[in-house]
Amino acid sequence: MAARTATVSDLEAIMALENASFPSDAWSAAMMREELASPHGWYVVVEEGGRLVGYAGLRAVRGARDADVQTIAIAASARGRGRGRALLGELLGEALRRDVHHVFLEVRADNPVAQALYASEGFVEVGRRPRYYQPDDVDAIVMQLDLRGWAATRATATTTGKGWC
């Protein structure tokens, strides 16, 4: 799987996946366009057979020590094959390049698959936001990752031959 930086020309395909993945609380095309154009954002996409099957976004203000995973979405037909983990790795790699120390995210309390992915990469729950996701009244679990610790773990895994993919 090769990811590439997203551009505004990907907006239509991103929005199709956004609406399919988050039917009750999808971002608007205007919001997504602003994210793609922001100097503080960094979005990546993955394609298969010329079709966009995933995207992910990071908000990391240059010079700041904290960053936020904004979103990760994988087409239903492409799930379960490590694409979400790979996109998360791309985001965390960019956060490292921006000298970020901690990465935060919100995940729906009713999404145990995403929660398990984040926990397996070292994110820990640091709080909850009641009824954050509207109109569904679903809580957000706030998670945090010590990025330098994550990077050290990856470096050790690489030198011991226990890498991830």
Side-chain angles (χ1 to χ4, degrees):
M1 181 200 91
R4 66 169 174 78
T5 302
T7 67
V8 175
S9 67
D10 295 311
L11 183 61
E12 184 177 332
I14 287 172
M15 289 311 301
L17 185 51
E18 173 80 6
N19 288 310
S21 299
F22 311 110
S24 65
D25 60 352
W27 288 7
S28 70
M31 289 171 61
M32 187 64 74
R33 183 180 297 106
E34 286 180 25
E35 283 292 304
L36 292 172
S38 171
H40 306 301
W42 190 76
Y43 280 71
V44 292
V45 296
V46 62
E47 297 173 314
E48 289 179 359
R51 184 175 73 92
L52 190 136
V53 296
Y55 67 92
L58 179 77
R59 177 163 285 280
V61 176
R62 295 207 187 267
R65 295 294 182 234
D66 295 339
D68 293 288
V69 171
Q70 297 290 87
T71 187
I72 297 177
I74 304 295
S77 63
R79 291 181 188 151
R81 291 179 264 166
R83 287 165 184 82
R85 183 177 305 276
L87 284 172
L88 178 59
E90 293 282 340
L91 298 181
L92 297 177
E94 178 64 16
L96 278 171
R97 287 186 288 279
R98 294 187 185 200
D99 200 27
V100 165
H101 293 187
H102 295 99
V103 177
F104 294 87
L105 59 80
E106 290 95 14
V107 60
R108 289 177 66 107
D110 63 356
N111 189 343
V113 173
Q115 293 169 39
L117 167 64
Y118 300 136
S120 74
E121 289 296 325
F123 281 86
V124 295
E125 182 175 337
V126 295
R128 289 199 176 228
R129 294 192 171 126
R131 303 174 63 191
Y132 180 81
Y133 292 100
Q134 292 298 320
D136 302 328
D137 285 337
V138 174
D139 291 356
I141 299 172
V142 181
M143 302 183 85
Q144 177 183 8
L145 175 71
D146 173 346
L147 189 59
R148 293 178 295 176
W150 177 85
T153 300
R154 294 303 167 272
T156 301
T158 301
T159 60
T160 62
K162 296 179 182 174
W164 66 281
C165 52

